Amino acid sequence: MRSFFLSLAILILVGCSGPARQQTEAEKTRAITKVFETKEQYTARTLDSATVADFLLRHPDSKGDSAAIFSFYKRRGYHYAWFAGDSLSHAAFGFATLVNGTSSEHPEVQALNKRLRSLIDGTASTTHPPCDSCGQDLELSLTAEFFHFANKKYGGLVGKDLRELDWFIPRTKKNYDRLIDSIAAGRMNLRAIEPLHPQYALLKDRLRKYVALDTLVNWYPIALGDRKKIEPGDSASIVPDIRQRLMVLGDLVSGMDTIVLHSTRYDSTLVHAMQRFQERHNLLPDGVIGNSVIRALNVTPAQRIRTMLVNMERLRWVPEAYAPDLILVNIPEFRMHIFEEGKEAWNMKVVVGNVATRTVIFSDTLSNIVFSPTWTIPKSIVQGEILPEIKKNPNYLAKKNMERIGGSDANPIIRQKPGAGNALGRVKFLFPNDYSIYFHDTPSKGGFVRESRAFSHGCIRLSEPQRLAEYLLRNDTTWTTEKITEAMKKSTETWVKLKEKRPVTIGYFTAWVGADERLYFCDDVYGHDDKLAKELFFDPTPAPIPAPVIQPEPEASLN
């Protein structure tokens, strides 16, 4: 880095000393080489744009990278990148080593590694300089293989349309300029400039521990037997096994003597460790050992590895950083995270769609708040739920504060008026999208105390809707807490257009590293992990046993 700041200082001094001659492309590319702390100079060999164009014409599989390839050679004055004189440079061999180190991740990368080795070994085995056309083809082939490699490693191993995997957030286009400049200059420590979200590296670090556990630890199943649960202070024969497992996972710090380790009593130290485990696995941290805890304890390290790799693949699809003021809903976590200037400001519990009416994974922009909203009921709910109720009770609409506003007897348009019983509660938040999904309050608060909160019709219910409204309007002096409360209790709608729109992402991540540096997991509620694993692995490890499906609360069945 010292040479980087030195180069920067020189540029500043030159800029302050008046007009100077323009650098040639070769001089610019030599400056790039210096930035990456290499003593290697460019080879005298050069290409031209026509040669590059001809190569791309003969290799249509690199057409998508043509602009990046041209840009790379233009930056270096069309000098070769992978040769030193008439021989392959150490950068070429370093690149091959880099690819070889990641070849086990996916069969396509394995195939790339074989092609790369074939290219390099074919040249390394001869003492004669390659012919001009052979050298040009080898040079350009290595550059093309870099982009094939980068597109898989950083852009995503799964090449298909992500909408087929129920992911409607556009795949982020990565910029590999710094990477290829660095590799061609002989530098292989790429971590600081890899175009990946920081979560990727954090998960990768934690992955090593689970690989070791999978190799060294016998993960035998633990069972409650005839018991339904174990509460603090109870004694049970499986307590020592649970204690040992929490020690292995790092939730319980060791240091106890043999007698304590083998005690069957569920003591306070173990209770605190269990609560940490429950927090990390999106379970109610009450310290009670029930079926959900046992199920989470029995997920093997191999299954956790599978989950981490699947989430690392998703992290290849997203930008390197979240939008500074993002609102992120993580569907399987049943939680909304509010970011402010890139850091999490606060979060809240949410309810998401059930398996049949699952919440869609997409991104958009929150633009409006509606206080005391009406609810025009979707046709599917009218047909499936309301019409059968009307047949049972002709006064059903009046009872539910609803009214017919159009349509026919067979296909009526029904709206629910504002009020305490409105299925959308007292406020909704709109980010117009093709999926008719939005955030809203709910009159049914009991669902937020559950561990699994996937039982809505697809929209997202908020546990703290007024807090979100106050937060979004905090810079608007006309909307005080008192005025917001008043607007939420009116009998008519009040629309507010946000002066500061907020980006919204509805995502799906089942493994992540928290701000407290702990590794968190949650259930694959929609089976998206399992679907993606089939794309990633030849013979995927069986998926963890899913949590039981939670049926909607009767009083919350209409939202």
Side-chain angles (χ1 to χ4, degrees), residues 26-95:
E27 287 173 333
K28 290 179 182 177
T29 48
R30 290 191 187 100
I32 292 172
T33 303
K34 290 179 181 178
V35 167
F36 289 108
E37 301 177 334
T38 177
K39 296 179 181 178
E40 182 177 329
Q41 298 298 318
Y42 285 142
T43 176
R45 287 174 171 261
T46 59
L47 301 160
D48 56 45
S49 59
T51 303
V52 177
D54 177 67
F55 174 87
L56 291 170
L57 190 65
R58 290 184 288 110
H59 295 82
D61 58 324
S62 293
K63 182 179 179 180
D65 300 312
S66 58
I69 291 172
F70 270 111
S71 176
F72 171 59
Y73 283 107
K74 185 177 180 181
R75 288 197 305 276
R76 38 188 315 113
Y78 285 91
H79 284 266
Y80 278 36
W82 309 108
F83 279 80
D86 291 326
S87 303
L88 284 175
S89 66
H90 76 276
F93 291 101
F95 171 44

Side-chain angles (χ1 to χ4, degrees), residues 214-484:
D214 186 45
T215 305
L216 302 174
V217 179
N218 178 18
W219 215 260
Y220 53 85
I222 296 172
L224 281 171
D226 295 333
R227 305 182 67 120
K228 291 185 178 180
K229 60 184 177 181
I230 301 172
E231 296 186 287
D234 288 351
S235 291
S237 60
I238 67 166
V239 167
D241 293 330
I242 293 172
R243 184 179 287 111
Q244 182 185 39
R245 188 147 298 178
L246 293 184
M247 288 175 61
V248 168
L249 291 171
D251 295 293
L252 176 61
V253 179
S254 60
M256 294 168 283
D257 58 40
T258 306
I259 297 175
V260 174
L261 288 175
H262 290 86
S263 171
T264 59
R265 184 173 178 275
Y266 187 26
D267 56 46
S268 60
T269 301
L270 185 54
V271 170
H272 292 315
M274 176 54 66
Q275 289 173 321
R276 285 192 288 272
F277 175 84
Q278 289 172 317
E279 288 172 350
R280 290 199 309 106
H281 293 80
N282 210 37
L283 303 172
L284 186 65
D286 57 4
V288 177
I289 301 172
N291 289 327
S292 59
V293 167
I294 295 299
R295 185 172 55 84
L297 285 169
N298 283 333
V299 176
T300 66
Q303 290 171 316
R304 294 299 186 198
I305 290 168
R306 172 189 190 274
T307 297
M308 283 188 270
L309 289 175
V310 163
N311 283 274
M312 288 167 68
E313 171 65 9
R314 291 192 183 109
L315 289 165
R316 290 180 168 102
W317 306 341
V318 302
E320 293 95 286
Y322 290 131
D325 298 319
L326 178 70
I327 295 176
L328 169 68
V329 173
N330 187 15
I331 293 171
E333 187 191 4
F334 315 123
R335 192 165 288 275
M336 172 188 283
H337 301 268
I338 292 87
F339 289 87
E340 189 174 312
E341 297 182 356
K343 295 183 179 180
E344 184 172 355
W346 56 285
N347 62 72
M348 74 168 88
K349 295 178 180 179
V350 301
V351 170
V352 299
N354 62 35
V355 174
T357 56
R358 58 186 61 179
T359 301
V360 181
I361 301 165
F362 72 104
S363 57
D364 219 295
T365 304
L366 197 158
S367 56
N368 289 281
I369 301 175
V370 183
F371 295 114
S372 297
T374 59
W375 180 40
T376 302
I377 303 169
K379 180 180 177 180
S380 60
I381 298 177
V382 170
Q383 294 292 327
E385 300 181 31
I386 292 179
L387 288 182
E389 291 295 334
I390 292 175
K391 288 181 180 180
K392 296 177 189 177
N393 178 8
N395 295 319
Y396 179 81
L397 291 184
K399 179 183 175 182
K400 292 292 184 177
N401 198 28
M402 297 177 182
E403 60 184 349
R404 177 175 163 180
I405 58 173
S408 63
D409 289 343
N411 188 23
I413 300 172
I414 296 174
R415 180 173 66 191
Q416 190 174 35
K417 302 173 188 176
N422 187 290
L424 304 186
R426 298 290 191 174
V427 60
K428 66 179 180 180
F429 304 82
L430 302 180
F431 37 103
N433 56 81
D434 295 332
Y435 316 106
S436 300
I437 289 176
Y438 46 87
F439 305 143
H440 65 87
D441 182 19
T442 174
S444 306
K445 307 296 185 183
F448 295 112
V449 301
R450 297 185 179 189
E451 288 180 343
S452 179
R453 297 190 292 277
F455 47 79
S456 79
H457 280 92
C459 287
I460 297 166
R461 306 181 201 170
L462 308 180
S463 60
E464 301 179 75
Q466 182 164 349
R467 183 181 181 187
L468 181 61
E470 292 176 2
Y471 178 79
L472 293 173
L473 295 171
R474 68 195 185 282
N475 295 325
D476 188 338
T477 56
T478 63
W479 283 100
T480 62
T481 298
E482 292 74 19
K483 188 172 180 180
I484 288 172

Side-chain angles (χ1 to χ4, degrees), residues 187-203:
R187 182 182 181 189
M188 294 298 148
N189 183 9
L190 307 175
R191 185 156 178 167
I193 58 172
E194 288 181 320
L196 289 167
H197 192 281
Q199 272 290 327
Y200 184 94
L202 293 171
L203 278 179

